[in-house]
Amino acid sequence: MIFDFFGDKKKAVIAMAHIGALPGSPLYDIARGMDGLIEDVAADVEKLQAGGVDAIMFGNENDRPYVFKGSPESIAAMTSVVMAIKPLLKVPFGVNYLWDPMSSIAIGSVTGANFVREIFTGVFASDMGIWEPDCASAARLRANLGRQSMKMLFNINAEFAHSLDQRSIELRARSAVFSSLADAVLVSGPITGQPADQSDLRKVCKTVTDVPVFANTGVNIDNVADVMSVASGCVIGTHFKVGGNTWNAVDADRVKRFMDKVETLR
């Protein structure tokens, strides 16, 4: 079993529902407004669920350039979008506000999410500057909001960044579970849509055995068998999009073909 909300599934696929740029970010479409954001996400969620994914994670990938601290308007907007889509959901869901652990926990808590994903530990040199997440404050916020059952998924090697920690990735993963209470560990590639190093994934899976380990980026129909042979599952966004382009809408046929293959692997 991975988590209770996945039932008896031994391998799970978490699909990304990428929300369009939120109010306050440079790419926000003022003309279409909030109604446009909700309309687009609803269409993607319908295709993802029809294709058979196991869970959906809402993310603000379009809020480029990314920030380390969410703004009031974008936090409110993302919460509003998730709550508008929630009645349509037939599967468990999570949230991820890039790249702010506190905002992710806050949005996840008030919307009733099953899980949140973020960079909770480590120190990184990144496109956004020096990256120093505060796991302790995020974990305490989850406790203070009475949402201890909401799982915290730790992305341990951040996209768009290089770890300044000289320890091996498997040791950092083990330490995140031991000292920071990670509910799951996620292994990423260097950028959205690019796969994690398979040797890194294998080393982490071999070392971390008491919580689930997921491949977090770059999983596709060609490499999913290798991923599922070692990991508890994967998070997938780019491969489900039209033309395999992160910024496009979800392609229903891609989702169905991928999930059909996954069913042969579990």
Side-chain angles (χ1 to χ4, degrees):
M1 181 184 293
I2 306 170
F3 294 129
D4 289 345
F5 52 78
F6 283 128
D8 60 359
K9 289 187 173 70
K10 293 182 172 60
K11 306 284 182 178
V13 175
I14 301 172
M16 292 304 304
H18 291 151
I19 302 170
L22 297 168
S25 66
L27 298 178
Y28 176 58
D29 187 340
I30 296 176
R32 296 192 69 220
M34 289 294 295
D35 288 343
L37 293 179
I38 294 168
E39 178 184 344
D40 291 347
V41 177
D44 280 352
V45 165
E46 181 180 6
K47 296 170 190 173
L48 292 169
Q49 292 190 133
V53 302
D54 301 310
I56 287 174
M57 178 157 53
F58 297 95
N60 62 326
E61 263 79 2
N62 285 282
D63 279 350
R64 297 168 286 160
Y66 300 119
V67 298
F68 293 140
K69 184 176 176 57
S71 66
E73 64 271 27
S74 64
I75 295 168
M78 185 166 174
T79 303
S80 180
V81 171
V82 174
M83 289 303 294
I85 301 299
K86 189 175 176 181
L88 307 177
L89 294 176
K90 303 172 184 176
V91 297
F93 78 96
V95 300
N96 182 197
Y97 185 105
L98 302 171
W99 293 97
D100 184 354
M102 297 293 279
S103 293
S104 297
I105 292 288
I107 296 170
S109 294
V110 301
T111 59
N114 299 97
F115 59 92
V116 297
R117 175 189 69 178
E118 245 313 316
I119 302 294
F120 288 107
T121 55
V123 179
F124 303 86
S126 77
D127 291 350
M128 297 77 71
I130 297 296
W131 194 339
E132 300 177 87
D134 182 358
C135 181
S137 293
R140 282 161 174 74
L141 178 61
R142 179 180 65 165
N144 292 339
L145 292 173
R147 289 302 317 279
Q148 292 283 50
S149 63
M150 182 176 69
K151 304 301 183 183
M152 293 171 61
L153 280 53
F154 283 46
N155 185 1
I156 59 163
N157 54 328
E159 300 106 286
F160 318 110
H162 172 71
S163 175
L164 299 179
D165 190 333
Q166 296 185 16
R167 295 176 299 171
S168 66
I169 188 171
E170 63 268 30
L171 181 53
R172 287 188 282 121
R174 182 180 177 189
S175 182
V177 176
F178 184 89
S179 70
S180 298
L181 308 178
D183 294 310
V185 169
L186 278 57
V187 182
S188 302
I191 195 168
T192 298
Q194 293 188 16
D197 186 298
Q198 187 69 11
S199 66
D200 284 346
L201 182 61
R202 288 183 180 277
K203 285 185 283 190
V204 172
C205 289
K206 183 177 180 180
T207 303
V208 176
T209 58
D210 44 350
V211 302
V213 176
F214 286 78
N216 191 50
T217 62
V219 180
N220 57 54
I221 200 165
D222 296 320
N223 65 18
V224 67
D226 290 336
V227 168
M228 293 298 198
S229 70
V230 294
S232 300
C234 63
V235 179
I236 180 165
T238 295
H239 183 67
F240 284 165
K241 301 301 188 70
V242 173
N245 184 324
T246 304
W247 315 117
N248 286 343
V250 168
D251 182 329
D253 289 338
R254 276 178 169 257
V255 180
K256 182 66 166 57
R257 288 196 302 271
F258 182 89
M259 291 308 299
D260 283 348
K261 181 164 185 177
V262 167
E263 288 301 326
T264 70
L265 303 173
R266 61 182 180 182

